Amino acid sequence: MTTGMTTGATTGATAGTTTGTTTEEGDRVAGRGKGAVRAVRRPEVRLPELVAYDGGQLEVEGDYDGLEFAAADWAGQSARGARFMDCAVRRCGLDETVLSRARFIDSVLSGVRGVGTDLSGASLRDVEVSDARLGGVQLHGAVLERVVVRGGKIDFPNLRSAKLRDVAFEGCVLIEADFAGAELERVSFDDCTLARADFSEARMKDVDLRGAAAVDIARGIDRLSGAVISATQLMDLAPAFAAQIGVRVE
C-alpha cells in the first residue's frame, strides 16, 4: 500500500544497541539482516565531578562547563546562544526561558519542567533528558544528535524543520508533537505514547515505531516511507491510510 515501508515481518528485534560495535554490527538489530532498520546510536554521557553553580541569573551567550544547576528557577531568563558542556540541569524551572540557539553537549537534563521554553535552533548532542514535564516547548529548527528522552510528558512540542539523528524516545508521552518538515534518521519510540502527531512533509530514514505503546497520527500519514511499524500498528492505522488514498471503509 505504501512504498518504502517495512512492517513487522522481521521479529525478535529490539530498537537499541550499545555503542562501541562495528559499523556492520551497528547496522543490524538483534540478528536481522540486510535491509533491517538501523539501530539508534545512543549517547554515553560520563559527567566529570561537577561544581554547583552559584552565579545567579543565566547570561546571553554564556559559557558553562562542568557545572550542576539544581532546583534553580530560570523562569523568564534568557541564555540565548549559551553553551552548556559537561553539565547537569536537575529539577529546574524553565517557564518562558529563552534558550534559543543554545548548545548542550555531553550533558544531562533531569526533572526539568516548564511551559513555553524556547529552544528554537538549539543543538543537543550526546544528551540525556529524563522525566521532563514540558508544555509548548519550541524546538523548531533544532538539531538533536545522540539524544535519549526517557520518561516524562511533553505537550505540544514544536519540532518543525528540526533534525533528529540517533534519537531514542523511551517511556515518554508526546502529545500533539509537531514534526512537520523535520528530518528523522535513526529515531525510535520505545514504550511511548505518540498522540495526534503531525508528520506533514517530514523525511524519515530508519525510524522505528514498533515499540511504541500507542501511535496516533493526525497528519502526515503519507510521510511514513522510511519508517518501520508492526503488523498490529498497521491495522490500527488502516483507517488513516484508507482516508489518505480516498478509500471509504463501510
Side-chain angles (χ1 to χ4, degrees), residues 61 92 95 181 214:
E61 299 185 357
C92 292
D95 290 305

Side-chain angles (χ1 to χ4, degrees), residues 10 27-37:
T10 51
D27 285 346
R28 300 177 181 224
V29 184
R32 287 182 290 172
K34 184 178 180 180
V37 61

